[in-house]
Amino acid sequence: MFHKILIANRGEIACRVIKTAKRMGIATVSVYSDADANALHVKHADEAVHIGPAPSRDSYLSIEKIITACKQTGADAVHPGYGFLSENAKFADALAKEDIAFIGPPINAIEIMGDKITSKKQANAAGVSTVPGYMGLVETPEQGRDIATEIGYPVMIKASAGGGGKGMRIAWSNAEIEEGIARAKSEAASSFGDDRLFIEKFITNPRHIEIQILADNHDNIIHLGERECSIQRRNQKVIEEAPSPFVDSALRETMGEQAIALARSVDYKSAGTVEFIMDQEHNFYFLEMNTRLQVEHPVTELITGIDLVEQMIKVAAGEALSFRQSDVTFKGWAIESRVYAENPYRNFLPSTGRLLTYNPPHHHQDDKGCIVRNDTGVYEGAEISTYYDPMIAKLCTWAPDRTNAIEKMLDALDEFEVEGIANNIPFLSALINHQAFRDGALTTGFIETHYKGGFEGVAIPSDIKDYLAQTACVLKYIEMQRMNVTGPNENQQQQCLAIKTEDTAFECKVHYEAPHYIVSTKNNTIPLNVIWSLGQRLTQISLNDQKLTLRVNKTTTGYILSYRGSDVSIDVLPPHIMKLMALMPEKQIADTSNLLLCPMPGCVTSVLVKEGDQVEPGQGLAIVEAMKMENMLKAERQAVVKKICIEPNTTLNVDDVIMEFE
C-alpha cells in the first residue's frame, strides 16, 4: 500500500480524497495556487506545496510542477480527482516514468476514451449502442452545415476532448451552426488545450443515465448501478440521484453489461463511468466514458455502501476487488444537489466574493436512518474566485425511498446558510419541490421546459404567505422587546403593528403566552411557535403540525422571508409610521437601457463591434469568460454603438460598463 498520496486537485474533491486516505492511514499532500493559499484542502492535508499563480494553466495543469511536488514530498502516488489532469494520458505517462503511481486507469484506456470520436468507434466495436453522428473532425462551419443537414437537426456540437459541459453547443438550424462551432472551438481550446470538434444527432427530450464501474488488475469488472443525471443547465449537471426512477432491474443489468463490455475492451482498471442518453422509449445510446471519479459519485456510495476513493487506491496498489457483482446490493435512494456560487435570478451568472456566512447542515443520520452528507471545499471566510469552478458544496441525502430522500433534501436545503455571495440554493429548493421532479418526469431539458424565462422565484401558496406575514410580526415583536431590554414573559405588553406585503395590508396585535406568540388580526388569532434570536439568518416556526424553516433578511422597514425558492418582502412597522411611509416618494431607478453592462465578474475576451456600428437584435456584442465558460452578450434591440468603454482582455466586475449606445 502507498505511504503518501499527493492530490493533484483542489476544493471539495481534494478534501474528499484526503478524508478517505487518512482513514486508510495514508499520509496526504495538497498542492495549491496563489488563489488557494488559505483553502480548506491545504488545511486538511498533512503537507502542502505551492505550485504557482492562480490561472490553472500555470498551476493545477502543470505536469512538471505536480511531479516536482511529488519528489519534494516523497509522495509515491497521485490521485487526480476530477477535472484538471484527471483524464490526461500525458500526465499518467509522466508519473509512470518517475515511478509514481497514478490512481486511475491505464494510459491506453485514458487515450481511447478521452477522445469522443475514438471512444464512439470503440463502443461500436464492443457492441455498445451509440448515437448517430459523424465519426470525424469538423474543420469548418461549411462542413458542419453539410454534416448537420445530412444527420438532421437538431445536432450537438461537441469538443472531442471535452467534458463537464464545456465545448458543447446545440444547433437547431444552419444559422446556429457557425456561432456554435466558433464558441465550442474557443471554449474547448481554453478548457482542454484541444479545439477539435465533432457533430452528432441531438436526441430530444432525453434522460442522462450513467453506469458506475469498478475494475481491478485481476480481471474483475463490476458495475455499481446507475445514476440519473438529467437535471442539467448548460450541459452541466445540477441534481443527480441513484437509482434512476426510470430504470428497472432488467434495464439496469443490460446497461451494466454494456458498460462492462466497453471497459473490458480497453482493459480498464480503477473506477470509471459510462454515460448514456436514453429516449422516452427506454432506448439508450453511448455518450462517453469518464475515466475518472465523477462529481456525483457520493450518491452511488450512499446506496451501495462502497467507498469509491478507497477502491481506486486499493486497485492502484495492485489489490483485487474484495467483492463480486453478486455481492453488490442497492439500498434506498440518494440525491445530490450541487450548490453553486451563481445568481439564479440573473440567469445564473457566476458570483464571486467572500463567504461571510457559511453554515451547511452537519453530516448526520437521524432517528429514522436518513442521512445528510455535505462534501465541501470551503469554509466561512473563504473566497470564491473567478479562476475555478464556482461549486461551493455537494449536498447529499439518503433515505429508504425516493419520497423521503426528497423531503430530507428539502429540509437540508432549508438549513443551508450562505451569505456574502449569490448562490443557487433557492433554485435547488424549487427544482426538488417541483411536482414534475417529484413525479420523476425528468429530461435534460427539464430546466428549459419548466423555467423558460429564467428563474424568478416560486409562487408561494397563500396559506404559507399568511404564515410568513404573521411570522414577520413576531420577529418585529422580538426586536422591540429586545430594545426594551426585556426577555419574553407572560407579562409583556402587547404590541400593535402594521403589516404590508405586495398584495395585502393589515394591522395586528402581538403578545407572548408561553410557549407561543399570539398574533391577533381583525379576522383571527394565530398561536405561533417561533425560534429566533436577533442576528440569526434562519428561523423555525411551528403551527399545529406544520414546521417551516425560513431565511431571514432584515430590511430598513421589515424583512425578506424566503422559503423554498420564494421570497416575500414584508414591511412591519408601528401603525403611525406605516401611514407616514405611504407619503414618502419612491426612489427612481437609474435608466441603463443605453448601456451594455457586464452581467458577471469576468474577463471580456472579445469585443465584436466598433464605435459607429449599427447592431440588430440578437447580434453578438462581446464575449465574457467567467468560471471557465464563455458567455456571449447580445444586443436586445436595434441601436448604434456610441462608445466602447473597455479594451479586450479587461477584467470587469458586475455592472461595469462595456459600451454605450446612442
Side-chain angles (χ1 to χ4, degrees):
M1 182 51 67
F2 308 117
H3 80 277
K4 187 180 290 187
I5 293 175
L6 182 144
I7 299 94
N9 218 296
R10 63 176 302 280
E12 61 84 16
I13 187 56
C15 294
R16 164 72 187 89
V17 175
I18 290 169
K19 182 178 179 180
T20 288
K22 284 191 172 184
R23 182 175 55 77
M24 297 175 69
I26 303 171
T28 56
V29 179
S30 280
V31 292
Y32 64 94
S33 69
D34 290 348
D36 281 338
N38 297 311
L40 198 63
H41 71 280
V42 175
K43 299 176 185 293
H44 282 187
D46 298 304
E47 299 175 66
V49 179
H50 176 250
I51 54 170
S56 56
R57 65 179 177 274
D58 300 321
S59 50
Y60 295 106
L61 285 171
S62 173
I63 294 174
E64 181 181 350
K65 289 179 178 179
I66 298 294
I67 291 177
T68 299
C70 289
K71 292 179 178 180
Q72 178 181 330
T73 58
D76 53 347
V78 169
H79 195 299
Y82 48 72
F84 293 138
L85 298 172
S86 62
E87 295 178 285
N88 189 310
K90 292 180 180 178
F91 178 51
D93 184 52
L95 289 174
K97 289 176 180 176
E98 299 293 339
D99 199 27
I100 301 169
F102 177 72
I103 302 176
I107 295 170
N108 182 62
I110 297 174
E111 289 177 334
I112 294 174
M113 290 298 135
D115 186 285
K116 288 184 170 58
I117 295 173
T118 305
S119 66
K120 282 190 69 173
K121 293 177 179 178
Q122 185 73 27
N124 268 328
V128 180
S129 176
T130 58
V131 180
Y134 176 68
M135 293 284 194
L137 296 177
V138 178
E139 303 291 349
T140 65
E142 292 75 20
Q143 182 190 11
R145 284 196 294 270
D146 292 341
I147 293 168
T149 300
E150 182 177 347
I151 296 173
Y153 286 103
V155 297
M156 177 74 84
I157 304 162
K158 301 176 74 172
S160 183
K166 298 179 177 62
M168 295 174 63
R169 291 292 188 276
I170 299 172
W172 296 82
S173 65
N174 281 338
E176 296 182 4
I177 281 285
E178 184 170 352
E179 182 182 319
I181 288 176
R183 295 282 64 75
K185 185 178 282 287
S186 175
E187 206 166 82
S190 175
S191 297
F192 315 112
D194 184 343
D195 66 355
R196 295 174 302 146
L197 303 176
F198 70 103
I199 293 177
E200 65 184 17
K201 180 70 176 175
F202 177 67
I203 307 297
T204 56
N205 298 319
R207 298 178 83 115
H208 186 122
I209 311 291
E210 58 189 34
I211 300 291
Q212 176 71 58
I213 64 159
L214 269 177
D216 63 19
N217 292 285
H218 305 274
D219 203 33
N220 299 309
I221 307 179
I222 64 171
H223 73 83
L224 301 181
E226 83 283 357
R227 294 185 288 257
E228 171 92 51
C229 306
S230 297
I231 304 297
Q232 302 179 8
R233 190 185 60 75
R234 296 177 184 170
N235 300 310
Q236 285 205 323
K237 301 161 189 173
V238 178
I239 295 172
E240 302 98 349
E241 59 185 304
S244 164
F246 199 60
V247 175
D248 59 23
S249 58
L251 184 56
R252 178 177 302 119
E253 286 309 306
T254 300
M255 297 179 76
E257 288 170 2
Q258 289 203 15
I260 290 172
L262 179 60
R264 196 175 296 281
S265 74
V266 292
D267 196 27
Y268 198 87
K269 319 295 179 192
S270 192
T273 299
V274 181
E275 300 194 357
F276 296 95
I277 55 172
M278 183 179 293
D279 64 24
Q280 297 303 308
E281 285 72 47
H282 292 86
N283 300 305
F284 62 90
Y285 306 95
F286 171 74
L287 189 61
E288 63 182 346
M289 184 177 189
N290 288 301
T291 55
R292 55 171 168 81
L293 194 66
Q294 289 281 88
V295 177
E296 57 273 19
H297 75 274
V299 292
T300 296
E301 294 183 329
L302 286 168
I303 66 166
T304 62
I306 295 171
D307 185 324
L308 288 169
V309 173
E310 178 183 357
Q311 297 306 317
M312 293 180 74
I313 293 171
K314 287 182 175 180
V315 168
E319 295 186 18
L321 296 176
S322 61
F323 45 86
R324 299 293 180 266
Q325 191 67 61
S326 58
D327 299 318
V328 177
T329 58
F330 305 107
K331 181 182 178 182
W333 212 284
I335 298 175
E336 175 180 291
S337 295
R338 300 192 188 189
V339 180
Y340 282 113
E342 61 186 15
N343 191 336
Y345 301 101
R346 295 191 65 177
N347 196 29
F348 303 94
L349 297 177
S351 179
T352 59
R354 195 166 299 282
L355 287 163
L356 301 180
T357 300
Y358 182 69
N359 186 24
H362 65 280
H363 182 98
H364 71 278
Q365 184 170 354
D366 65 19
D367 54 3
K368 296 180 181 178
C370 298
I371 297 170
V372 172
R373 166 178 167 173
N374 189 57
D375 287 14
T376 188
V378 300
Y379 56 91
E380 190 165 287
E383 188 171 349
I384 305 296
S385 75
T386 60
Y387 293 105
Y388 312 117
D389 187 272
M391 184 186 292
I392 297 172
K394 302 184 311 194
L395 181 64
C396 305
T397 58
W398 178 94
D401 55 67
R402 189 171 188 265
T403 298
N404 281 295
I406 287 173
E407 293 302 326
K408 193 68 178 177
M409 177 60 73
L410 287 169
D411 289 343
L413 288 167
D414 287 345
E415 297 168 8
F416 207 127
E417 294 183 77
V418 178
E419 298 292 339
I421 58 172
N423 62 82
N424 68 335
I425 291 175
F427 181 60
L428 293 171
S429 293
L431 281 174
I432 294 286
N433 205 28
H434 198 289
Q435 191 57 51
F437 182 88
R438 286 179 174 272
D439 293 341
L442 313 179
T443 73
T444 56
F446 186 97
I447 292 175
E448 287 78 7
T449 299
H450 296 289
Y451 300 95
K452 289 181 180 178
F455 181 68
E456 298 177 353
V458 177
I460 193 167
S462 59
D463 59 335
I464 300 294
K465 187 177 290 188
D466 290 342
Y467 296 158
L468 266 57
Q470 291 150 6
T471 299
C473 297
V474 172
L475 301 185
K476 185 65 175 180
Y477 176 81
I478 294 172
E479 273 197 70
M480 296 175 77
Q481 296 308 312
R482 176 64 178 271
M483 291 172 65
N484 292 334
V485 200
T486 61
N489 62 68
E490 295 186 21
N491 299 317
Q492 282 179 340
Q493 184 178 3
Q494 183 172 256
Q495 296 287 351
C496 295
L497 296 168
I499 294 87
K500 181 183 178 184
T501 66
E502 185 179 290
D503 50 14
T504 188
F506 61 91
E507 293 188 7
C508 71
K509 296 178 180 179
V510 186
H511 69 282
Y512 183 73
E513 293 180 10
H516 301 297
Y517 293 91
I518 308 301
V519 182
S520 301
T521 66
K522 182 179 180 179
N523 299 320
N524 57 17
T525 298
I526 303 293
L528 280 174
N529 189 332
V530 178
I531 303 173
W532 186 70
S533 298
L534 267 67
Q536 285 186 334
R537 293 292 189 179
L538 298 180
T539 180
Q540 293 181 325
I541 67 171
S542 300
L543 179 66
N544 301 323
D545 294 331
Q546 190 163 15
K547 295 183 179 181
L548 306 178
T549 299
L550 311 175
R551 299 184 192 281
V552 180
N553 284 290
K554 185 85 170 64
T555 66
T556 55
T557 56
Y559 310 91
I560 296 175
L561 299 183
S562 305
Y563 178 67
R564 296 188 175 177
S566 301
D567 292 338
V568 178
S569 181
I570 306 169
D571 291 335
V572 189
L573 296 165
H576 68 285
I577 297 179
M578 186 70 80
K579 290 176 182 177
L580 293 174
M581 283 288 295
L583 303 177
M584 297 292 289
E586 291 188 10
K587 183 179 179 180
Q588 298 298 311
I589 299 174
D591 181 12
T592 60
S593 60
N594 66 328
L595 303 175
L596 176 66
L597 304 178
C598 190
M600 70 201 79
C603 179
V604 179
T605 57
S606 300
V607 177
L608 307 177
V609 294
K610 60 183 183 297
E611 293 177 3
D613 283 356
Q614 178 169 303
V615 298
E616 301 297 328
Q619 181 177 340
L621 302 175
I623 297 172
V624 177
E625 183 177 304
M627 305 291 191
K628 301 190 290 185
M629 297 289 283
E630 291 189 351
N631 302 273
M632 172 76 76
L633 306 185
K634 297 182 179 181
E636 295 182 355
R637 59 182 175 83
Q638 187 180 73
V640 174
V641 179
K642 179 180 179 181
K643 182 181 179 182
I644 306 294
C645 302
I646 54 92
E647 295 290 333
N649 298 316
T650 301
T651 299
L652 301 179
N653 295 315
V654 174
D655 291 338
D656 281 353
V657 178
I658 297 174
M659 64 184 68
E660 297 179 19
F661 303 102
E662 293 181 358

